[in-house]
Amino acid sequence: SQQGEEDPQALSIQEGENATMNCSYKTSINNLQWYRQNSGRGLVHLILIRSNEREKHSGRLRVTLDTSKKSSSLLITASRAADTASYFCATDNPETSGSRLTFGEGTQLTVNP
Amino acid sequence: KAGVTQTPRYLIKTRGQQVTLSCSPISGHRSVSWYQQTPGQGLQFLFEYFSETQRNKGNFPGRFSGRQFSNSRSEMNVSTLELGDSALYLCASNPQGSLHGYTFGSGTRLTVV
């Protein structure tokens, strides 16, 4: 079963608008990562935020992390049609040995030109 | 540098058959993980290999198995295929541990008929 829950499940906006996606998780984490997936393709790593960080930026992406609420948000500013994809958060549990990501259910973002 | 290579891209198998999927990680990456993605269950962790040893295993039946070779290439095998095994199987490589983002392959789309 998925640890994370993301909302909204689907988001439709106009080009140039900002898109915000939220993710909640249940266990303690080493870090939280965001990935993008274009239809039926592999996942592309976007950004990683460590458990001791609160905010991180990368280009048009801004990620926040609130470990007290076990939640994170991904903001995409000035969206483009090419941003249309599914976005997933993934967490890494420090109580699990090795590398193992637990994914959220994903948000389907549609950016209309 | 070359990305993560998964072969084949598409596969159609009959119930009861077995299948082997291959993954070549990024050169130098020692950790290889496998994930199953279905519309109903989302992205689920199968197993992780590091230096030819299975370091982590998800909640999948014993029909799902894998191995890693000395060159870090990995294979996963599914025996006695069921219709529910139809999914996108994704392989991810990572330098070591989960302090870095993962690089995913494009996946193998398996259809069981």
Side-chain angles (χ1 to χ4, degrees):
Chain A
S1 62
Q2 295 294 304
Q3 167 183 230
E5 295 181 1
E6 291 177 68
D7 76 271
Q9 288 191 326
L11 181 60
S12 182
I13 60 174
Q14 295 300 122
E15 221 169 14
E17 294 181 338
N18 295 340
T20 299
M21 288 160 269
N22 302 297
C23 164
S24 63
Y25 57 91
K26 298 176 183 174
T27 67
S28 57
I29 62 171
N30 279 325
N31 59 64
L32 186 142
Q33 305 176 33
W34 284 89
Y35 288 84
R36 185 186 75 204
Q37 184 179 39
N38 289 87
S39 182
R41 306 289 295 183
L43 298 165
V44 175
H45 179 257
L46 295 175
I47 195 166
L48 179 153
I49 186 166
R50 303 189 198 287
S51 59
N52 61 353
E53 297 176 312
R54 292 296 166 257
E55 187 171 313
K56 201 163 183 179
H57 297 253
S58 177
R60 294 185 296 114
L61 305 179
R62 182 174 79 100
V63 170
T64 61
L65 179 64
D66 187 335
T67 52
S68 67
K69 295 181 179 178
K70 290 186 166 59
S71 67
S72 172
S73 67
L74 171 67
L75 168 67
I76 303 174
T77 60
S79 63
R80 307 165 182 168
D83 294 329
T84 294
S86 292
Y87 291 82
F88 296 89
C89 67
T91 55
D92 164 57
N93 186 337
E95 297 174 16
T96 301
S97 62
S99 302
R100 174 176 182 160
L101 293 177
T102 300
F103 284 88
E105 297 170 352
T107 293
Q108 173 61 52
L109 173 66
T110 302
V111 181
N112 302 299
Chain B
K1 57 184 177 181
V4 177
T5 303
Q6 289 190 247
T7 57
R9 282 284 286 128
Y10 301 94
L11 207 48
I12 300 176
K13 289 286 188 179
T14 304
R15 272 182 302 175
Q17 288 186 313
Q18 73 164 14
V19 67
T20 299
L21 312 181
S22 178
C23 171
S24 294
I26 290 174
S27 178
H29 286 195
R30 296 164 66 187
S31 168
V32 175
S33 306
W34 289 89
Y35 292 82
Q36 181 197 64
Q37 185 177 27
T38 60
Q41 297 298 315
L43 281 153
Q44 293 192 293
F45 171 80
L46 280 157
F47 27 64
E48 184 225 357
Y49 287 87
F50 183 85
S51 294
E52 301 180 66
T53 300
Q54 187 181 85
R55 194 162 64 169
N56 224 327
K57 190 176 191 307
N59 296 323
F60 278 82
R63 300 185 297 107
F64 291 81
S65 62
R67 58 179 175 169
Q68 186 180 34
F69 302 95
S70 58
N71 61 358
S72 291
R73 188 178 72 86
S74 177
E75 289 181 347
M76 68 163 281
N77 183 278
V78 187
S79 63
T80 319
L81 284 166
E82 301 176 359
L83 295 179
D85 297 333
S86 294
L88 180 65
Y89 289 88
L90 293 164
C91 165
S93 83
N94 182 277
Q96 181 174 351
S98 60
L99 298 180
H100 311 270
Y102 290 66
T103 303
F104 281 80
S106 295
T108 294
R109 172 75 62 183
L110 171 65
T111 302
V112 182
V113 298

